[in-house]
Amino acid sequence: LYEKHPEWVIRQPAREEHYFRNQLVLDLSNPAVQQFVFQVVDNLFTENPSLAYIKWDCNAVIFNAYSAHLKNQQSHLYIEYVRGLY
């Protein structure tokens, strides 16, 4: 996913990515990322109707907070991230 959409992760421009537990954080303030995540989850439940539970690990620390999607509204990142998560 990262190779196809590096702009979908939260990271400061011109800085190396900061991995936490060998992971990056998807930018859920971006509607394209929200749609991708929704489709993945929706497909899982559609293809596996007996599936009753999915664990979403949502406690990653956000380093180098910056959204390529928000451009000049970086102060809205955490608010828009949580809205995207919901």
Side-chain angles (χ1 to χ4, degrees):
L1 180 63
Y2 178 72
E3 289 176 357
K4 189 173 180 182
H5 294 287
E7 75 282 6
W8 281 11
V9 299
I10 292 178
R11 65 177 287 246
Q12 287 280 336
R15 286 192 180 179
E16 285 188 33
E17 295 86 357
H18 187 90
Y19 290 82
F20 181 71
R21 293 185 303 219
N22 204 30
Q23 300 171 346
L24 297 170
V25 178
L26 284 172
D27 182 2
L28 293 176
S29 73
N30 183 334
V33 176
Q34 295 169 21
Q35 185 62 33
F36 173 80
V37 171
F38 180 85
Q39 286 177 337
V40 168
V41 172
D42 186 56
N43 287 344
L44 281 170
F45 280 108
T46 300
E47 294 169 7
N48 305 281
S50 63
L51 188 63
Y53 177 80
I54 293 178
K55 182 180 183 304
W56 179 277
D57 188 4
C58 194
N59 59 354
V61 177
I62 297 178
F63 291 98
N64 295 331
Y66 180 89
S67 168
H69 169 73
L70 292 176
K71 311 240 185 285
N72 295 327
Q73 295 180 322
Q74 295 306 310
S75 64
H76 297 201
L77 174 60
Y78 290 102
I79 295 166
E80 296 305 321
Y81 178 90
V82 171
R83 285 182 178 161
L85 175 64
Y86 289 165

